[in-house]
Amino acid sequence: MASLGDPPTYSTPRTLGLALVSLLAALAHFVLGALDYGAVSRYLGLGTMLLAGLLLVFGSLTLIRYAEARDAMGDPYARAPMYATPHETLTVVVGVGLNVAGVLVAAAWAVHGDWPAWHLLAALVNVWAAVLAWRSRPSPDVG
């Protein structure tokens, strides 16, 4: 758990990176899901675009949390505690889960789709985002 004086988890550059990489992964899956739509299955294409929508929402909310945390760091009269919030752990779980799902979907497209190299590149972006999500988890309670 962060101690008083440490920057909040959401205010770190890693959180900003997670938000931006998740948005990049969402855009990649949207484009590839739309362009390679009929190659395998319409349902896989729709599922890919749905996953991209969820990644877009996750990236946007994480970016908003980053901006709020940076703003709150300069607030002399903080209205809410900035440490040990319950959604910090949930952000890690959702971030890792969505991006691992993105890797699996991109791997399925890479095997059966028309543009395997692009799908593998999208999978690498998802791996990068999953690693950032895992590394942004709050530190365990030591005391």
Side-chain angles (χ1 to χ4, degrees):
M1 202 152 292
S3 61
L4 192 59
D6 291 342
T9 303
Y10 285 137
S11 69
T12 62
R14 184 172 289 140
T15 302
L16 177 62
L18 172 62
L20 296 177
V21 173
S22 293
L23 291 172
L24 179 65
L27 292 175
H29 285 296
F30 268 131
V31 169
L32 290 170
L35 294 178
D36 210 6
Y37 183 77
V40 179
S41 162
R42 287 188 301 200
Y43 299 113
L44 184 58
L46 289 173
T48 301
M49 289 187 278
L50 176 64
L51 175 66
L54 293 173
L55 279 167
L56 182 69
V57 168
F58 173 76
S60 299
L61 290 176
T62 305
L63 188 61
I64 290 168
R65 285 182 181 149
Y66 170 78
E68 287 176 343
R70 295 297 297 181
D71 181 58
M73 287 175 65
D75 190 357
Y77 304 108
R79 293 171 294 283
M82 296 176 65
Y83 300 100
T85 57
H87 53 76
E88 284 182 326
T89 304
L90 186 60
T91 299
V92 173
V93 171
V94 171
V96 171
L98 284 175
N99 284 292
V100 167
V103 169
L104 296 175
V105 167
W109 276 109
V111 170
H112 299 291
D114 290 336
W115 298 355
W118 289 102
H119 290 291
L120 289 176
L121 187 60
L124 287 176
V125 173
N126 282 118
V127 167
W128 183 18
V131 167
L132 285 173
W134 181 253
R135 288 184 178 172
S136 67
R137 67 192 185 282
S139 59
D141 190 9
V142 179

